Amino acid sequence: MGNDIIYLNGQYLPLSDAKISVMDRGFLFGDGVYEVIPAYAGRLFRLENHLERLDNSLRSIRLVNPHSHEQWRDILSPLLQAGQDQSVYLQVTRGVAPKRDHAFPQTIIPTVFAMVSGINPYADHERGVKAVSMEDSRWKLCDTKAITLLANVLLRQAAVDQGCAEALLFKDGYLTEGAASNAFAVINGVLVTPPKTPAILPGITRDVILEIARNNNIPCSEQAIAKTDLNDASEIWVTSSTREIIPIVELDGGQIGDGKPGPLWQKFYRLFQDYKQSLR
Ligand code: PDD
């Protein structure tokens, strides 16, 4: 199917024909969750991990998953184009309610939507990108992949307004993650990333990076990172399904390392590509 074909509530439709009610609780309350899953050469990457995270997100918002993992695979697969690198966006909302009321409606038929788009994760890798640090203004359920993304949107836009690609977020002086990514730093030769807590999204790319590090005997650690610790960082990266691993070469106007993507990033870039290639 072409990129303009989407899935909505049991049907595959051209994007322009897809309609949902204005009474959908996703529209009125941001009452829903989502996933973004990369597909390399037409094959979904770590689908099980993404679907497990979807299960956790749905449990967190007290919504029953409308589909089994097998059904999800069957729904998403026809959207993919053979041999292409794409990303799948899927969203489940609490559905259409008869009236606007914060409390859940009695009858719930979730709205299920999925679409694909092309990915070009390495647009920025040669030079690296700039980031800016910001106070993490989000809520306490950041491990739920909720569609309610207004704080993330405002933080990311504030970064863009300052000529930066990403906002690095700090809570009580400690790094949480990026506005739409997880964060890593290389400090004293060790690859470090904040531990999984409700303050961060448990990124699937983050897990892959840690796996690659452990499989290659590269020192790594999941630990709290104070903002001041980043003064000693020789590299900082952000990771996500759509952008893979992006090196940050400038934070708050100050150069990181020698202002170019660092040697460990170069190594991980190759290891990550090799790993993807091995799945083709
Ligand atoms: N976001 N943290 C946040 C807040 C994110 O929004 C994302 C990804 C990640 C990385 O998770 P993963 O490696 O599983 O993609 C971490 C997606 C890509 C998005 O919102 O479009």
Side-chain angles (χ1 to χ4, degrees):
M1 286 185 203
N3 270 359
D4 60 332
I5 300 295
I6 63 92
Y7 173 89
L8 182 63
N9 296 331
Q11 287 185 294
Y12 294 93
L13 301 164
L15 183 59
S16 53
D17 292 349
K19 304 273 187 287
I20 59 157
S21 166
V22 291
M23 295 306 286
D24 194 281
R25 288 178 61 97
F27 179 64
L28 291 176
F29 294 112
D31 184 357
V33 297
Y34 76 108
E35 273 299 322
V36 178
I37 311 169
Y40 298 118
R43 285 151 83 174
L44 291 157
F45 182 68
R46 302 247 164 165
L47 178 63
E48 254 330 281
N49 299 138
H50 282 277
L51 292 176
E52 279 163 20
R53 188 172 65 186
L54 177 67
D55 287 334
N56 292 339
S57 296
L58 286 166
R59 197 174 305 116
S60 159
I61 71 160
R62 298 167 58 188
L63 199 52
V64 175
N65 195 334
H67 299 300
S68 67
H69 289 193
E70 292 70 33
Q71 286 170 333
W72 275 113
R73 184 182 285 278
D74 291 346
I75 288 169
L76 302 179
S77 296
L79 294 169
L80 300 170
Q81 280 167 305
Q84 302 264 317
D85 288 355
Q86 293 173 302
S87 77
V88 175
Y89 174 87
L90 70 85
Q91 169 172 320
V92 182
T93 78
R94 207 176 307 275
V96 178
K99 62 179 181 7
R100 184 179 177 277
D101 181 352
H102 288 61
F104 301 163
Q106 297 224 304
T107 313
I108 292 168
I109 303 170
T111 299
V112 177
F113 168 60
M115 63 179 172
V116 293
S117 48
I119 42 175
N120 181 18
Y122 284 102
D124 299 318
H125 78 282
E126 302 261 338
R127 283 179 293 122
V129 300
K130 297 178 189 175
V132 63
S133 56
M134 287 187 200
E135 182 62 26
D136 192 341
S137 54
R138 300 174 303 161
W139 65 341
K140 294 194 172 165
L141 306 179
C142 291
D143 53 346
T144 299
K145 204 161 170 56
I147 61 169
T148 332
L149 285 173
L150 192 52
N152 305 61
V153 166
L154 293 173
L155 289 160
R156 176 70 166 274
Q157 186 58 42
V160 169
D161 291 345
Q162 294 177 54
C164 294
E166 184 58 303
L168 282 192
L169 309 182
F170 294 85
K171 213 166 240 173
D172 304 322
Y174 284 86
L175 177 63
T176 53
E177 58 182 339
S181 55
N182 290 113
F184 285 81
V186 181
I187 300 175
N188 299 327
V190 180
L191 180 63
V192 293
T193 192
K196 285 184 185 173
T197 66
I200 71 164
L201 184 80
I204 308 298
T205 321
R206 177 189 177 282
D207 284 346
V208 176
I209 305 287
L210 290 172
E211 254 177 60
I212 290 178
R214 286 171 189 138
N215 291 340
N216 290 277
N217 298 318
I218 295 166
C220 67
S221 153
E222 296 172 77
Q223 62 182 56
I225 303 170
K227 194 168 181 195
T228 48
D229 294 339
L230 289 183
N231 297 335
D232 299 324
S234 57
E235 299 187 29
I236 299 178
W237 317 335
V238 288
T239 66
S240 79
S241 292
T242 42
R243 303 184 77 195
E244 299 185 356
I245 321 168
I246 298 284
I248 306 283
V249 294
E250 195 184 297
L251 179 62
D252 299 330
Q255 191 172 289
I256 306 297
D258 61 2
K260 294 200 206 80
L264 202 59
W265 179 83
Q266 309 273 358
K267 184 167 186 166
F268 268 79
Y269 169 71
R270 280 193 306 275
L271 289 168
F272 198 87
Q273 300 312 313
D274 290 349
Y275 176 64
K276 273 163 53 183
Q277 204 59 35
S278 73
L279 304 173
R280 280 171 198 263

